[in-house]
Amino acid sequence: MRDREIVERVRDATDLLALVGQAVKLRKQGSAHVGLCPFHAERSPSFQVVANRGFYHCFGCGKHGDAFAWLMEREGMTFPEALEQLARAAGIDLPQRRERPAAEVDLETRMRAVLDAAQTFYERQLERHEGARSYLRQRGYEGPFVAEAGFGVAPDGWDPLVTHLRGLNVSGELLEQAGLASRSERGTQIDFLRNRLTIPIHDARGRLVAFGGRVLGEGQPKYLNTRDTALFHKGETLFGFHRAKGAMKDGALVVEGYFDVLQLHQNGLHQAVAPLGTALTEEHLKQLGRFTRRVILCFDGDAAGRRAMEKSLRMALPLGFEVRLLELPQGEDPDTWCLKLGGEAFRDLLKAAPDWTAFMVDRAMEGKDLRRISDRMGAFKDLLDFLPYLPRTTESRDLFASLAHQLQVPLQELDRAVKGRQAPAQPSEEPLAAAPALPDLDDLIRRLLLLSAAGHWRRVQEIPPAWWESLAGAPLLQALLDAEGDLTLLPGGAVAALRHLEAQASRQDEAGRDAEALFARLEGGYVDREIQANNRLLQDPATMVDGALTARVMARQNELLARQKKLSRERRGLR
């Protein structure tokens, strides 16, 4: 069986509605199911799943795809990984593939096995380490969550883990490749983590890739991660992301460390994640952007925490995130503050977290005497890095006017300076929630939409969907046909797009007058595309060596060519 046939078989065997329904609450509407988009924050549903056509589409942010695209977007999988997972779920055996070097795949498999063995060892050490269990109780961790979080202990010795794993026939080379061992000054192999409470680190798919360690007692560094490996890259991994990615409906909560994340997760705040000993990176934010366009930054309530928050803000705003900031009292961090307040009270804090603007204005003004020109200009310079990212609203204009007054700068000068620092355009593959009102539309789809909106939706419904379903803008037409022309049943984003389309249409636009010519063009375009697809199929080596398949494709091609000639004659008659 050829690759294309395998993909189609897996796609046909996958229940897209059930797959998407694991993450999105959907309700029936026509032939589609609608719900709140999981890719951006919204209050009214713009997201739809058309299961019988095998796609999802959001009219708010433009996300669109099939079951494979869903797993690639939501789980960060490659296409082969998505194909493998869906095939396994459908009970379909895939042929063996060698897309990656066998040695590379084998190394990763062996590394995952040795990491799992290390986790088992560390967990057993915790069972006999009363000091570590007492420490966890002091920090509020008890009961089933201790096992769920995977806490363990790296013993206080040079090589207990190395000795244990070597006894399981694990090579010294593999221990170092997995980040579990290092070399002493004398060249002997020793445990990388020693005398530490251990915390497993997982990738986006929940696979163990590394360990973090918190020193037991006094010592430096207080926190230590195992080294970067083929499986683990600190600048690309967010702690807790595998648990958080399905809980980001109201935004991602970015905090500083392991215990912040774990305490919040223990209290039901599962959207919390943290970088691993690095500042928040663009790669971290791109991962979050697959699930949400809203980020709440919450760092420790000290000077270092405020600097980290500001640095993260500088990273997030150019990528188009809606950013809110939660500043904690001096001396508190999310771990201790959640423990004191409880999960529900902390959740209320998140809901009330202010927009980033007030925080940055206060930061710019802090410690400055605005009666002095140098201080006013210093505040002005600090703000110029952020003001270009303000939304164009009445509130923003009021803020500009207030800042101009405080800084004694003419409003026109402030405007001019901000325009000189305009925020860069957003990448097309990560659209903002505020997408353009009118999506990209094929001209034939545009005409079908106008025809349907003018009350002729039944005529459009009668033509075969294969004629138009591959054209740009097809999801919008599908939604209108499902609603049987009733705009009140459409998602808000679809209504806005149709209103925009109608406003753009000229008075001479045909609203049913030339329907037959339009349908002829649609059928002709479909036949042309089918002929091209068949030509590619005939040139496929797998077809050339299969006589029966070649005969079937040629018969179909002859039918299409005859139909093409007939349509050409009919179009000439319509002119």
Side-chain angles (χ1 to χ4, degrees), residues 256-444:
E256 267 193 284
Y258 320 111
F259 286 102
D260 296 326
V261 170
L262 292 171
Q263 191 65 255
L264 290 163
H265 284 194
Q266 183 176 229
N267 280 275
L269 297 154
H270 299 292
Q271 68 266 51
V273 296
L276 287 158
T278 70
L280 198 65
T281 67
E282 185 172 327
E283 183 58 37
H284 290 147
L285 288 163
K286 285 180 178 178
Q287 290 184 51
L288 296 177
R290 294 202 302 269
F291 297 85
T292 183
R293 301 308 299 176
R294 178 181 296 160
V295 170
I296 304 168
L297 301 176
C298 177
F299 291 95
D300 297 355
D302 54 20
R306 298 186 83 186
R307 286 194 298 273
M309 189 182 285
E310 183 175 336
K311 188 172 183 179
S312 297
L313 181 62
R314 291 177 189 272
M315 184 71 66
L317 288 177
L319 294 177
F321 283 92
E322 174 196 335
V323 183
R324 297 185 175 275
L325 305 176
L326 180 58
E327 189 172 15
L328 301 181
Q330 183 73 27
E332 299 288 357
D333 56 38
D335 173 21
T336 60
W337 200 232
C338 182
L339 198 57
K340 289 177 182 178
L341 296 182
E344 285 307 311
F346 201 97
R347 192 183 302 277
D348 291 340
L349 284 181
L350 293 181
K351 290 178 181 176
D355 186 72
W356 61 270
T357 51
F359 175 87
M360 288 315 305
V361 169
D362 289 346
R363 283 278 285 161
M365 303 295 188
E366 188 177 44
K368 294 184 174 67
D369 182 352
L370 298 184
R371 294 171 299 181
R372 299 172 55 185
I373 293 178
S374 59
D375 280 9
R376 290 201 303 272
M377 291 303 98
F380 186 24
K381 183 179 178 182
D382 290 345
L383 286 169
L384 278 181
D385 285 340
F386 300 96
L387 293 181
Y389 299 103
L390 278 172
R392 301 296 185 259
T393 63
T394 302
E395 291 79 6
S396 298
R397 294 305 302 165
D398 291 343
L399 175 62
F400 268 49
S402 173
L403 289 174
H405 176 72
Q406 292 180 69
L407 299 172
Q408 299 180 35
V409 173
L411 183 56
Q412 296 86 342
E413 290 296 323
L414 183 60
D415 272 338
R416 188 177 296 113
V418 169
K419 286 177 181 175
R421 296 274 193 98
Q422 279 300 325
Q426 300 306 316
S428 58
E429 69 272 16
E430 295 184 0
L432 302 184
L438 191 62
D440 182 29
L441 297 176
D442 185 276
D443 181 63
L444 294 174

Side-chain angles (χ1 to χ4, degrees), residues 447 450-452 454 456 459 509-516 518:
R447 292 173 181 274
L450 288 170
L451 190 64
S452 302
H456 303 285
R459 296 187 68 188
D509 239 322
E510 58 275 38
R513 186 162 48 89
D514 293 329
E516 295 308 321
L518 172 59

Side-chain angles (χ1 to χ4, degrees), residues 119-131:
Q119 173 65 11
T120 301
F121 174 82
Y122 289 146
E123 287 178 345
R124 287 175 180 165
Q125 297 303 308
L126 177 63
E127 294 171 3
R128 61 189 74 165
H129 200 298
E130 177 55 34

Side-chain angles (χ1 to χ4, degrees), residues 176-242:
E176 293 185 34
Q177 289 172 320
L180 298 173
S182 57
R183 295 281 173 176
S184 69
E185 292 180 357
R186 291 187 293 180
T188 56
Q189 198 169 54
I190 58 176
D191 293 358
F192 188 82
L193 296 179
R194 301 184 300 279
N195 192 32
R196 290 179 181 271
L197 185 75
T198 62
I199 302 139
I201 298 169
H202 300 83
D203 65 11
R205 295 175 61 185
R207 299 174 299 187
L208 180 60
V209 293
F211 291 95
R214 201 279 184 198
V215 70
L216 291 168
E218 299 300 320
Q220 291 297 328
K222 186 183 290 186
Y223 293 98
L224 180 66
N225 298 320
T226 50
R227 294 187 305 271
D228 278 19
T229 68
L231 300 178
F232 173 56
H233 304 282
K234 295 183 182 72
E236 299 174 4
T237 307
L238 283 166
F239 182 74
F241 185 61
H242 66 295

Side-chain angles (χ1 to χ4, degrees), residues 21-237:
Q22 295 171 10
V24 182
K25 186 177 181 180
L26 299 165
R27 60 179 174 81
K28 188 82 163 63
Q29 182 175 289
S31 66
H33 287 73
V34 300
L36 295 174
C37 181
F39 299 110
H40 79 282
E42 62 177 4
R43 294 179 181 174
S44 58
S46 296
F47 180 81
Q48 68 167 1
V49 178
V50 186
N52 63 338
R53 298 285 169 75
F55 70 81
Y56 61 85
H57 182 83
C58 178
F59 294 102
C61 68
K63 290 288 187 182
H64 177 94
D66 58 8
F68 302 110
W70 175 262
L71 288 181
M72 291 164 72
E73 285 280 356
R74 294 284 296 177
E75 304 295 332
M77 295 183 183
T78 62
F79 180 81
E81 288 171 338
L83 177 63
E84 181 181 347
Q85 178 162 315
L86 292 176
R88 191 184 311 118
I92 297 172
D93 292 328
L94 296 178
Q96 291 297 315
R97 293 170 177 265
R98 287 295 181 94
E99 295 184 356
R100 296 169 60 200
E104 183 181 317
V105 175
D106 178 63
L107 173 61
E108 289 190 5
T109 301
R110 290 186 292 119
M111 285 173 64
R112 294 189 193 284
V114 75
L115 288 167
D116 288 339
Q119 173 65 11
T120 301
F121 174 82
Y122 289 146
E123 287 178 345
R124 287 175 180 165
Q125 297 303 308
L126 177 63
E127 294 171 3
R128 61 189 74 165
H129 200 298
E130 177 55 34
R133 295 200 305 277
S134 175
Y135 174 78
L136 287 172
R137 287 193 294 270
Q138 291 170 19
R139 298 202 66 153
Y141 298 104
E142 291 187 272
F145 189 78
V146 172
E148 183 183 332
F151 287 116
V153 166
D156 186 11
W158 286 110
D159 60 356
L161 177 66
V162 167
T163 301
H164 172 74
L165 294 176
R166 291 298 295 269
L168 299 177
N169 295 320
V170 177
S171 71
E173 180 185 16
L174 183 60
L175 289 174
E176 293 185 34
Q177 289 172 320
L180 298 173
S182 57
R183 295 281 173 176
S184 69
E185 292 180 357
R186 291 187 293 180
T188 56
Q189 198 169 54
I190 58 176
D191 293 358
F192 188 82
L193 296 179
R194 301 184 300 279
N195 192 32
R196 290 179 181 271
L197 185 75
T198 62
I199 302 139
I201 298 169
H202 300 83
D203 65 11
R205 295 175 61 185
R207 299 174 299 187
L208 180 60
V209 293
F211 291 95
R214 201 279 184 198
V215 70
L216 291 168
E218 299 300 320
Q220 291 297 328
K222 186 183 290 186
Y223 293 98
L224 180 66
N225 298 320
T226 50
R227 294 187 305 271
D228 278 19
T229 68
L231 300 178
F232 173 56
H233 304 282
K234 295 183 182 72
E236 299 174 4
T237 307

